[in-house]
Amino acid sequence: MSMLVINGGRALAGTVAVSGAKNSVLPILAATVVNAGRNVLHNCPDLRDVQSAIKILRHLGCKVTREGQTVTVDSSVIERWDVPDDLMREMRSSVIFLGPIIARCGRARLTTPGGCELGPRPIDLHLDALRRLGVHIEERGGEILCEAGKMEGRDIILSFPSVGATENTMLAATACAGVTRIINAAREPEIADLQEFLQKTGANITGAGGSEISIVGGNTRRDTEHRIMPDRIEAATYLCAAAACGGDVTLRECEPEHVGTITSALSEGGCEISVAGRSIRLRAERPLRAMPPVRTMPYPGFPTDAQAQMMAVACTARGTTIFLENIFENRYRHVGELMRMGAHIKVSGRVAVVDGGAPLHGAMVQATDLRGGAALVIAALAAHGESRVGEIHHIDRGYEHIETVLSALGADIRRE
Ligand code: UD1
């Protein structure tokens, strides 16, 4: 079992180039299924979840190659419409293949994603939307069996702006006759990136980034080239690391507007932040001061995917910072591990109160989930002494060579 061994207490300095976004590349890989052509995707991070998505594409009959950060998916021929249970289990978000397979094949067979580290991961909103578009769905013994009747565009009103449900509906709607409108759609930038890819394939789709998306159905088969947007959560993670450790770090190839809630919280904590084009420079002197309450919300609110990393920063900042997790039920599993390092945190339901400023010390800790794991790395970088972070397969799901990036910034971190 590999682990990260970190000797904390060093300031970070230098430049990091942000990778392509995990939460954008996965739905876009799934979307290649609806475009019966050659899809060339640049800036694809080499993450485990991306490898899992590629396995699913190959299972369906697509020809997939990777050269550096470029993945080419030839989906001219699709031979299957199922995703086997082992592949579904490898990656929770594989449910994003449901809409595209139905759109392309008129039927689909998947297994339910079940729960995950963040609590139950329901897909009722995905299935309700597909049913309204004319898909007959049977859920039997953990299987989801879908048969498309005559698919017709309708108004789909989401009761919550779910990212996954919005993406699945957009993709299924490409096969519907007429116009589908998604109302109360998720507004995350990754959805706008998916729309941009689909537009390049010739799909008639508008509105992504706002809360109403319109899709005029129609098949596409056009060779397409697209560059995946920068990963705003990776950017947030390295900004938090620099804030917690102190130092002077510049992110390149990022989209500053996408991390506005992160940079504004960090500047309230005393970090000096400057933006120039597609780069962000953060300078911090320790200790920071406590930040205003952090409430996770759908975009453009504070991202749930950066809550844990910001909590690690709050542990190093003098004073009390309050967190309110509104998106996922079970997203404080990193708290117990942070407390092993000397953090003072009290959790009650969706609220966590961090009394920051007491020095953190090195400890043996375990990543409980992807972003919680990133928070432990940040805390360990800021702590005195040696930490060992285990269960790092969680971290590898979302960060390509995290130790190489952080070492280049001057951190003492190695994989053992
Ligand atoms: C996506 C991201 C994930 C991120 C999350 C929030 C991908 C692959 N995953 O997940 O990394 O943490 O957005 O930004 O992009 N819900 C329902 N019923 C549904 C669907 C969702 O009740 O059918 C609830 C969920 O339980 C959760 C909330 O809605 O409480 C948000 O979920 P959603 O926006 O769908 O997140 P994901 O698409 O799963």
Side-chain angles (χ1 to χ4, degrees):
M1 274 302 197
S2 54
M3 57 171 65
L4 291 171
V5 181
I6 297 169
N7 271 295
R10 295 175 170 221
L12 302 184
T15 301
V16 185
V18 175
S19 321
K22 168 176 99 68
N23 288 349
S24 180
V25 70
L26 298 176
I28 290 177
L29 282 170
T32 63
V33 170
V34 297
N35 182 43
R38 193 164 171 273
N39 303 274
V40 181
L41 305 177
H42 302 293
N43 205 26
C44 294
D46 194 8
L47 302 168
R48 237 191 42 215
D49 279 4
V50 174
Q51 290 155 10
S52 305
I54 291 174
K55 277 191 211 163
I56 293 176
L57 288 168
R58 289 192 174 130
H59 171 84
L60 297 174
C62 300
K63 294 194 177 68
V64 190
T65 54
R66 178 189 262 279
E67 236 173 273
Q69 299 295 94
T70 298
V71 174
T72 302
V73 183
D74 182 341
S75 46
S76 326
V77 179
I78 297 273
E79 292 158 343
R80 310 184 63 115
W81 55 87
D82 68 305
V83 180
D85 193 46
D86 54 326
L87 291 180
M88 282 300 291
R89 282 178 192 277
E90 258 188 42
M91 178 177 80
R92 294 288 169 202
S93 43
S94 37
V95 71
I96 195 59
F97 278 88
L98 188 56
I101 296 176
I102 293 171
R104 179 75 185 270
C105 308
R107 53 185 155 174
R109 192 172 75 222
L110 272 67
T111 57
T112 47
C116 76
E117 310 85 42
L118 311 181
R121 210 81 187 250
I123 54 164
D124 53 316
L125 299 174
H126 305 231
L127 300 186
D128 288 351
L130 294 173
R131 284 191 174 106
R132 268 188 67 76
L133 295 178
V135 182
H136 176 77
I137 303 176
E138 241 184 88
E139 292 174 81
R140 209 194 301 146
E143 276 196 323
I144 310 169
L145 304 160
C146 303
E147 194 72 51
K150 189 168 178 312
M151 288 181 69
E152 269 185 70
R154 301 277 289 271
D155 279 1
I156 305 290
I157 304 170
L158 295 178
S159 56
F160 180 87
S162 151
V163 175
T166 301
E167 293 166 341
N168 247 333
T169 310
M170 283 164 77
L171 291 162
T174 60
C176 291
V179 182
T180 301
R181 279 197 313 163
I182 309 174
I183 296 156
N184 195 27
R187 295 159 63 192
E188 269 67 2
E190 291 76 14
I191 293 184
D193 203 27
L194 174 61
Q195 169 175 284
E196 203 180 310
F197 167 77
L198 289 169
Q199 285 172 340
K200 287 178 186 165
T201 69
N204 186 344
I205 167 164
T206 51
S211 19
E212 194 177 306
I213 301 175
S214 293
I215 305 108
V216 185
N219 291 339
T220 60
R221 41 177 76 238
R222 187 186 282 178
D223 290 352
T224 301
E225 213 166 324
H226 182 72
R227 185 175 173 83
I228 302 295
M229 62 172 270
D231 195 316
R232 63 196 167 95
I233 305 302
E234 189 197 31
T237 302
Y238 293 131
L239 289 172
C240 287
C245 296
D248 184 349
V249 168
T250 299
L251 302 186
R252 285 193 298 114
E253 289 162 50
C254 67
E255 194 50 75
E257 196 190 314
H258 293 167
V259 289
T261 51
I262 313 292
T263 45
S264 83
L266 294 175
S267 64
E268 295 263 9
C271 299
E272 209 178 297
I273 298 201
S274 46
V275 170
R278 283 163 61 83
S279 73
I280 304 177
R281 179 175 180 192
L282 180 146
R283 277 168 289 182
E285 260 177 55
R286 297 218 293 171
L288 300 181
R289 47 179 188 271
M291 289 163 287
V294 174
R295 299 184 183 86
T296 66
M297 302 282 257
Y299 191 85
F302 191 96
T304 176
D305 282 350
Q307 174 255 105
Q309 302 90 310
M310 192 58 82
M311 191 176 288
V313 177
C315 293
T316 69
R318 254 190 213 138
T320 304
T321 304
I322 293 172
F323 288 77
L324 182 59
E325 172 55 55
N326 290 307
I327 309 293
F328 288 107
E329 276 172 35
N330 196 8
R331 211 161 192 181
Y332 284 138
R333 292 179 62 206
H334 48 279
V335 165
E337 304 297 306
L338 288 173
M339 287 170 74
R340 277 193 164 206
M341 303 171 96
H344 296 287
I345 307 171
K346 285 206 180 76
V347 174
S348 169
R350 290 181 179 269
V351 179
V353 179
V354 180
D355 269 321
L360 299 176
H361 51 76
M364 296 270 283
V365 290
Q366 290 198 344
T368 51
D369 58 83
L370 164 56
R371 307 302 172 184
L376 299 180
V377 170
I378 293 171
L381 292 171
H384 294 293
E386 185 182 277
S387 294
R388 292 177 167 261
V389 183
E391 299 290 333
I392 56 174
H393 57 96
H394 289 296
I395 300 175
D396 293 335
R397 277 189 42 228
Y399 300 90
E400 212 178 329
H401 312 304
I402 193 169
E403 71 279 18
T404 314
V405 174
L406 290 167
S407 299
L409 295 178
D412 182 347
I413 175 171
R414 64 179 195 277
R415 192 177 284 255
E416 224 173 52

